[in-house]
C-alpha cells in the first residue's frame, strides 16, 4: 500500500521557517518533520511514498536525490564519477516526488497522484504532523469497514476540524473544518483511502477537507479510527519548539529503532 503525503502548501503560519523551505522540510532534531512522518510509516512496513510537492518543491527533490550521500560515507573517483558506498545507514524506501502545482489545494494535489496509485487503496497524510498511531491497526480498521475513507480521530483543542462520530457504525456523521469548539475529537490527518475518493475531487481548487469529505459523510462512506495516543501538528513556531523539546527528551512519536 502506497503512502501519499501532502507537502506542497505555503506554510504561512510558520513563515519564520517557510520563507526559505516548504514546511515539511522544517527540521526537528536536525531532520525534516517529513522524515519523521515517513519513519513512522516505514516502521509499520509501509515504505513506498508519493510526496505531493508544490511550494519550493525543488527543496524536497534535492533532499531525496542527495539522501544517501548525506547519510553514508563514500569514496568517489572524481575522474570517472564512480562512487563506492562505505559504512553508513540509508533507508529501504521508494520515494516519488511530484510537483502538484504551487497554487493547487489539498484535494487537487491528491488527485494528481492518481496515475501513480494503480487503482488501489492508499494511505494519506500531511507532511507536518507526528504521532505514534499504529498504522497497521488503522489499515485493518479501514479494511473491516465498507467506508471509502477512514480518518484518524484524535483529541486536540478546537482550532482544528471538529468531528461528530457514531460509535455504533464507526462512521463520521459530521465534519467541520476549523471547528470553534474546545476539546473533543478532531481529524488527526492519518487516512486510509479507497481509489473511489479520487472521483469526489473536482479539480485543483478542491480542498480535500471540504467537498470530498462532506460528500462521504452524506454517503455514509467516511469512517474513523480512534487514536488515543500522541499526536501533534506543527502549525506555528511554538509547535516547532514543543516538538524540538520533546525530541531532545523522549519523543513519544519515535516508535522506530535506530
Amino acid at each position: 500500500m502506497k503512502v501519499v503525503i501532502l507537502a506542497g502548501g505555503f506554510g504561512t503560519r510558520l513563515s519564520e521557517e517557510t520563507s526559505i523551505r516548504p514546511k515539511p522540510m522544517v527540521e526537528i532534531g536536525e531532520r525534516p518533520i517529513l522524515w519523521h512522518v515517513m519513519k513512522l510509516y516505514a516502521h509499520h512496513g509501509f515504505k513506498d511514498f508519493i510526496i505531493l510537492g508544490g511550494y519550493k518543491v525543488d527543496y524536497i527533490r534535492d533532499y531525496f536525490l542527495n539522501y544517501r550521500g548525506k547519510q553514508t560515507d563514500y569514496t568517489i573517483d572524481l575522474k570517472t564519477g564512480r562512487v563506492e558506498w562505505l559504512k553508513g545507514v540509508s533507508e529501504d524506501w521508494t520515494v516519488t516526488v511530484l510537483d502538484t502545482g504551487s497554487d493547487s489545494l489539498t484535494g487537487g494535489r491528491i488527485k494528481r497522484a492518481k496515475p501513480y496509485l494503480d487503482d488501489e487503496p492508499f494511505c494519506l497524510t500531511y507532511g507536518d504532523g507526528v504521532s505514534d498511531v499504529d498504522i497497521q491497526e488503522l489499515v485493518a480498521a479501514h479494511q473491516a469497514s465498507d467506508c471509502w475513507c477512514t480518518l484518524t480521530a484524535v483529541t486536540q483543542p478546537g482550532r482544528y476540524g471538529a468531528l461528530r462520530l457514531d460509535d455504533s457504525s464507526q462512521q463520521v456523521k459530521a465534519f467541520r473544518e476549523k471547528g470553534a469548539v474546545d476539546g473533543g475529537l478532531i481529524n488527526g490527518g492519518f487516512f486510509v483511502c479507497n481509489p473511489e475518493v479520487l472521483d469526489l475531487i473536482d479539480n485543483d481548487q478542491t480542498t480535500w477537507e471540504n467537498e470530498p469529505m462532506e460528500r462521504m459523510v452524506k454517503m455514509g462512506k467516511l469512517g474513523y479510527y480512534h487514536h488515543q495516543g500522541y499526536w501533534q501538528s506543527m502549525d506555528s513556531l511554538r509547535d516547532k519548539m514543543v516538538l524540538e523539546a520533546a525530541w531532545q527528551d523522549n519523543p513519544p512519536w519515535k516508535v522506530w529503532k535506530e
Side-chain angles (χ1 to χ4, degrees), residues 151-177:
L151 59 78
T152 300
V154 300
T155 302
Q156 189 72 3
R159 60 194 177 99
Y160 299 92
L163 305 175
R164 182 165 60 83
L165 308 178
D166 183 339
D167 291 335
S168 62
S169 66
Q170 292 295 110
Q171 290 182 3
V172 178
K173 293 301 183 181
F175 183 91
R176 181 175 56 188
E177 180 66 3

Side-chain angles (χ1 to χ4, degrees), residues 92-160:
D92 57 342
W93 304 347
T94 299
V95 182
T96 300
V97 181
L98 303 180
D99 182 358
T100 58
S102 59
D103 297 320
S104 297
L105 301 182
T106 49
R109 297 190 192 284
I110 295 166
K111 187 148 190 171
R112 288 200 185 199
K114 184 175 182 178
Y116 307 92
L117 292 173
D118 305 320
D119 199 33
E120 296 178 350
F122 58 95
C123 292
L124 170 68
T125 194
Y126 303 98
D128 61 355
V130 293
S131 176
D132 61 353
V133 59
D134 189 323
I135 303 298
Q136 290 281 2
E137 286 192 3
L138 169 61
V139 171
H142 177 73
Q143 292 174 335
S145 74
D146 65 349
C147 292
W148 288 3
C149 175
T150 300
L151 59 78
T152 300
V154 300
T155 302
Q156 189 72 3
R159 60 194 177 99
Y160 299 92

Side-chain angles (χ1 to χ4, degrees), residues 68-70 72-76 82-87:
R68 187 171 184 180
K70 291 179 179 295
T72 310
D73 294 345
Y74 60 84
T75 299
I76 182 170
R82 187 178 70 85
V83 176
E84 178 185 357
W85 299 104
L86 307 175
K87 64 179 181 178

Side-chain angles (χ1 to χ4, degrees), residues 21-22 33 56 67 72 81-82 120 132 135 159 163 197 200 209 228:
R21 53 189 162 183
I33 192 169
K56 296 188 181 296
Y67 188 90
T72 310
R82 187 178 70 85
E120 296 178 350
D132 61 353
I135 303 298
R159 60 194 177 99
L163 305 175
V197 305
L200 302 178
E209 301 80 5
Q228 302 184 54

